Amino acid sequence: MENQIKTLLLNHAELLFGASINESLIQFQQARKEIEGDLTLLVFPFVKMMRTSPIAAGEKIGAFLQEHCDEIEKFNVVNGFLNLVFTDAYWISVGNELLAKGNNYFEPNSKPLMMVEFASPNTNKPLHLGHLRNIFLGDAVAGILGAYGHEVIRTQIINDRGIHICKSMLAWERFSPINEKGERETPFNTGLKGDKLVGKYYVEFDKHLKVETSSVLDDWQKGDFSGYNDKTIQRFKELEAAKSGKSEETIAGIEDKIKELAKNATPLMRDAQEMLIKWEARDPQVYLLWTTMNGWVYEGFNATYEKMGVSFDKLYYESDTFLIGKDEVQRGLEEGIFYKKEDGSVWIDLTDEGLDEKLVLRGDGTAVYITQDIGTAIDRYKDFPQLDGIVYTVGNEQDYHFKVLFLILKKLGYHWAENCFHLSYGMVDLPSGKMKSREGTVVDADDLMADVIEKAAEMTAERGHIEGMTEVEKVNLFRQIGLAGLKYYLLKVDPKKRMLFNPEESIDLNGNTGPFIQYSFARIQSLLAKAGTFDLKFQLSILNEEEKSILISLNQYESVLKEAAIECSPSVLINFIYDLAKQFNHFYQKHHILGETNEVIKMNRLVLAYLSAQRIKNVLTIIGVETPSRM
């Protein structure tokens, strides 16, 4: 309809406005709910050329459109807004067009190749609640881009190297108990999932590190500097001197720096750093330990991914890509893009771009995060030269990191960095506060999924809607409901916003929840099953307010999907599907569909129910949520 109105205005511009007009002047928006209208045309752009008031201009344009367009039943003007009301015949035709389209709004793979990176875990700990928002967000965005017509590659970079990985490895070597067979703890002799076992020793490292850090601080406060290098001692004395005459807040910041200095001076941390150097030098013993423990973790990750219904098309490993990054740093150093400090560390100066100086290689030659990220990006474009862009799904604490990464890539001559996008999202908090992996205060992903599935089972059993189901069917239903609650809850909030997670709310059958949407779908399926076979076609009839409202919502899907794809925001689609489900439930409560005596109206309502169910299932599938036919 917008195109038809636009054509009318362009072809009759001389008559209406006294001159030809640019198409960009014709601007539409969705009519506000409190105003009668199906589509709103902004009149303000034409007021000056028509030399009249906004209301008079709107009246003239509205009268012209109503005369020349049979689908416009009436109109009204509110200030500079022309609100157009379309005929029931028009909306009936829209319904039949939607039936013909089905789910094929955008041709598959008709748009350029996009890569979506998500999950990207460290191999020193199991997946937790924070990972779940990342994983569900990235997977849903990949689904949305695919539905919008892009060819999509789902990928992750597995952070399988670095000092944090060495911490778990060293702690396992030092602190793992030995059984009567002379074996240290493994997933096989403990029954513990591999990622959880390795995560246990990451926490164990931090416990011992705190003890050693406290001991170092005690030595320094007593003036005992034996065993510490001159550079560390000098830095400590500089920081202590800097506290003189400073505010409490400044002193607290200096104390944090002293604590960090002490932490790095502990024997345990020095040994971890030495292990990292050995790993990069491919020391056989260290490398064997690394491959063994990472193997345990991968088995654990795969089991978790399978449970949550997520998969990847291509995996990248930091242990491979950091080498590409180191080579690139060397090239950049030779070309004057980077510079070297006295301690041998390599940096880039981005102060002219409003950023800072950034370390890209340590003085001991080991890589940092930015090193491997440079290598990973380059490796991906080598693998997929036709890539149109990469979406990095990473928390907003890394906003600065990605600004730096994309800028470095551009300076290195990679123009495709313009198409790299950081999908920044807010952290997930619990009622008890922020999670910390190294302190063990995280909500484990496996435990959380098991918890919501258990709650879904309890909630479903209480409602008594599962009579006649086999045990296998019940278990599958509880899984579908529980995971729907979890995924939907973590996706419904705008990605940019920090959020508080409440497991109880997530599986509620009322309100803006996944189970509510699933129940709406199941209710429609039950209705359609009782109705039997009928023609999937709308017949010309008078529409009531609720029927027209549902058709209007269904007709908005294409623009909503486009917005969700451009914004990389599943919450846009979720708000749409929640409003649709609410509308249909209100309609279902108000009108007894199968009991309707007018056969045309009855059939139209059944077709409307079919279309609503189709759209609900389509959207839920896109975001990775299953739709049970019975609840």
Side-chain angles (χ1 to χ4, degrees):
M1 180 56 73
E2 289 184 14
N3 289 334
Q4 185 178 345
I5 293 171
K6 190 176 291 185
T7 300
L8 278 171
L9 295 179
L10 290 172
N11 290 344
H12 297 84
E14 294 281 352
L15 174 66
L16 281 168
F17 314 119
S20 61
I21 60 170
N22 190 293
E23 185 177 338
S24 62
L25 291 177
I26 305 173
Q27 302 171 35
F28 298 101
Q29 65 183 35
Q30 192 64 41
R32 285 161 37 197
K33 290 183 179 180
E34 67 272 19
I35 293 175
E36 185 182 20
D38 299 327
L39 183 68
T40 296
L41 173 70
L42 274 63
V43 177
F44 295 110
F46 311 112
V47 171
K48 188 174 181 180
M49 59 198 318
M50 295 177 75
R51 298 179 182 178
T52 187
S53 68
I55 293 178
E59 291 287 348
K60 181 178 180 181
I61 298 171
F64 170 82
L65 291 175
Q66 186 176 17
E67 180 183 352
H68 290 81
C69 187
D70 294 338
E71 288 87 354
I72 297 177
E73 180 179 347
K74 54 186 174 179
F75 67 89
N76 63 78
V77 181
V78 179
N79 297 323
F81 300 92
L82 170 60
N83 305 298
L84 304 170
V85 179
F86 302 142
T87 63
D88 287 346
Y90 167 76
W91 286 113
I92 290 291
S93 69
V94 166
N96 283 321
E97 288 174 5
L98 295 176
L99 283 167
K101 282 184 178 179
N103 294 327
N104 303 317
Y105 281 81
F106 301 97
E107 185 180 345
N109 300 335
S110 59
K111 292 185 174 66
L113 178 66
M114 293 289 293
M115 180 178 282
V116 181
E117 174 194 293
F118 58 100
S120 304
N122 296 329
T123 57
N124 63 332
K125 55 191 174 185
L127 301 172
H128 56 64
L129 173 57
H131 287 114
L132 289 184
R133 188 178 196 191
N134 179 301
I135 292 166
F136 296 153
L137 181 58
D139 189 51
V141 166
I144 289 168
L145 291 174
Y148 186 49
H150 285 284
E151 185 181 356
V152 179
I153 296 173
R154 288 169 165 85
T155 190
Q156 61 174 327
I157 174 70
I158 300 173
N159 301 301
D160 62 343
R161 59 155 295 280
I163 191 68
H164 51 296
I165 308 301
C166 290
K167 288 177 180 179
S168 293
M169 292 161 58
L170 185 64
W172 183 83
E173 273 194 331
R174 295 274 176 88
F175 311 125
S176 175
I178 299 175
N179 63 20
E180 65 279 0
K181 296 180 180 180
E183 302 170 330
R184 297 190 187 279
E185 288 191 337
T186 71
F188 314 106
N189 61 27
T190 63
L192 195 60
K193 221 165 145 265
D195 50 337
K196 290 180 171 57
L197 177 66
V198 174
K200 169 184 173 182
Y201 284 98
Y202 183 60
V203 174
E204 195 68 25
F205 181 94
D206 191 64
K207 289 178 182 176
H208 286 80
L209 182 63
K210 284 180 178 177
V211 174
E212 289 194 9
T213 301
S214 179
S215 177
V216 170
L217 289 171
D218 286 344
D219 287 345
W220 292 354
Q221 293 301 327
K222 295 172 184 175
D224 181 2
F225 298 106
S226 55
Y228 302 103
N229 64 51
D230 293 340
K231 186 177 177 181
T232 299
I233 297 167
Q234 181 183 351
R235 180 58 178 157
F236 169 72
K237 291 180 178 179
E238 288 172 354
L239 289 170
E240 279 291 320
K243 290 193 290 186
S244 178
K246 297 296 191 301
S247 67
E248 288 186 10
E249 185 177 355
T250 302
I251 291 173
I254 294 172
E255 290 286 358
D256 287 340
K257 291 180 180 179
I258 291 174
K259 188 175 181 180
E260 190 65 26
L261 186 68
K263 187 186 296 183
N264 288 323
T266 60
L268 194 60
M269 184 59 83
R270 289 203 303 266
D271 288 346
Q273 291 165 342
E274 179 63 28
M275 178 177 275
L276 177 59
I277 293 171
K278 287 182 177 180
W279 181 88
E280 290 204 9
R282 294 295 191 268
D283 177 271
Q285 187 175 345
V286 172
Y287 216 72
L288 177 61
L289 176 61
W290 173 75
T291 54
T292 299
M293 293 183 71
N294 273 354
W296 298 342
V297 174
Y298 296 146
E299 286 188 19
F301 283 170
N302 290 338
T304 304
Y305 289 141
E306 184 177 358
K307 187 180 295 184
M308 63 178 67
V310 169
S311 61
F312 299 91
D313 302 308
K314 175 75 176 177
L315 303 181
Y316 289 88
Y317 297 87
E318 186 179 340
S319 54
D320 295 327
T321 62
F322 90 101
L323 294 170
I324 300 171
K326 288 180 77 170
D327 289 342
E328 202 65 21
V329 168
Q330 183 58 41
R331 177 176 74 84
L333 192 60
E334 293 168 359
E335 295 178 4
I337 298 168
F338 304 124
Y339 68 94
K340 186 175 285 190
K341 289 190 176 182
E342 290 182 1
D343 63 356
S345 60
V346 182
W347 297 69
I348 186 169
D349 187 352
L350 300 174
T351 52
D352 287 345
E353 286 81 6
L355 300 175
D356 207 340
E357 295 181 86
K358 178 68 177 179
L359 173 71
V360 294
L361 205 64
R362 294 189 186 97
D364 60 11
T366 57
V368 291
Y369 275 122
I370 201 84
T371 321
Q372 69 90 14
D373 280 347
I374 292 168
T376 303
I378 293 168
D379 200 27
R380 286 168 174 170
Y381 272 88
K382 284 180 180 176
D383 288 342
F384 303 97
Q386 69 275 37
L387 264 182
D388 191 57
I390 302 176
V391 177
Y392 290 84
T393 312
V394 183
N396 57 14
E397 77 277 9
Q398 295 295 329
D399 285 354
Y400 184 82
H401 174 86
F402 281 98
K403 286 180 184 177
V404 171
L405 172 64
F406 300 158
L407 188 52
I408 289 176
L409 288 169
K410 290 174 192 175
K411 285 182 176 292
L412 287 168
Y414 297 106
H415 302 296
W416 43 255
E418 293 283 352
N419 297 327
C420 291
F421 172 68
H422 175 205
L423 176 51
S424 174
Y425 64 90
M427 294 295 98
V428 182
D429 292 322
L430 297 164
S432 57
K434 188 177 180 181
M435 299 180 292
K436 297 179 181 178
S437 296
R438 62 179 174 269
E439 294 179 10
T441 59
V442 299
V443 176
D444 180 85
D446 293 316
D447 294 343
L448 182 56
M449 286 191 288
D451 184 49
V452 293
I453 291 171
E454 183 181 345
K455 285 181 168 59
E458 294 170 359
M459 177 268 293
T460 306
E462 287 173 4
R463 299 180 69 90
H465 289 170
I466 55 175
E467 294 88 350
M469 282 189 175
T470 67
E471 285 305 311
V472 172
E473 289 172 333
K474 289 178 185 178
V475 168
N476 189 45
L477 176 63
F478 303 152
R479 179 190 60 80
Q480 289 177 322
I481 295 173
L483 291 182
L486 183 58
K487 289 186 180 184
Y488 190 98
Y489 197 96
L490 293 174
L491 290 173
K492 70 178 182 179
V493 178
D494 185 313
K496 299 180 186 68
K497 295 180 179 177
R498 195 172 189 125
M499 68 175 295
L500 185 70
F501 178 73
N502 187 323
E504 300 286 347
E505 289 180 4
S506 72
I507 50 91
D508 197 335
L509 274 180
N510 300 303
N512 191 5
T513 68
F516 167 74
I517 308 298
Q518 286 179 316
Y519 184 67
S520 300
F521 174 80
R523 169 183 269 184
I524 297 174
Q525 293 302 104
S526 176
L527 168 69
L528 297 177
K530 291 176 183 176
T533 58
F534 55 90
D535 288 336
L536 283 176
K537 183 179 181 181
F538 286 102
Q539 303 295 325
L540 188 59
S541 174
I542 296 173
L543 298 173
N544 65 31
E545 182 182 345
E546 292 85 7
E547 291 164 344
K548 182 177 175 181
S549 176
I550 293 172
L551 276 172
I552 290 172
S553 291
L554 288 167
N555 194 45
Q556 292 168 0
Y557 171 69
E558 185 172 353
S559 62
V560 170
L561 177 57
K562 180 179 179 180
E563 180 186 352
I566 292 171
E567 297 295 324
C568 288
S569 178
S571 64
V572 172
L573 263 187
I574 283 178
N575 288 333
F576 163 79
I577 207 66
Y578 175 54
D579 287 340
L580 177 63
K582 280 196 304 181
Q583 283 179 304
F584 188 86
N585 280 312
H586 175 71
F587 171 69
Y588 183 87
Q589 295 287 352
K590 189 173 180 180
H591 303 282
H592 187 38
I593 297 175
L594 294 180
E596 173 57 51
T597 55
N598 184 310
E599 196 64 20
V600 171
I601 294 176
K602 176 182 175 180
M603 289 300 107
N604 279 353
R605 289 177 177 175
L606 286 171
V607 175
L608 194 63
Y610 169 85
L611 261 182
S612 299
Q614 181 188 56
R615 188 56 55 235
I616 289 172
K617 182 170 185 175
N618 174 226
V619 171
L620 291 183
T621 300
I622 286 172
I623 64 172
V625 173
E626 295 180 61
T627 47
S629 297
R630 181 183 172 192
M631 285 179 66

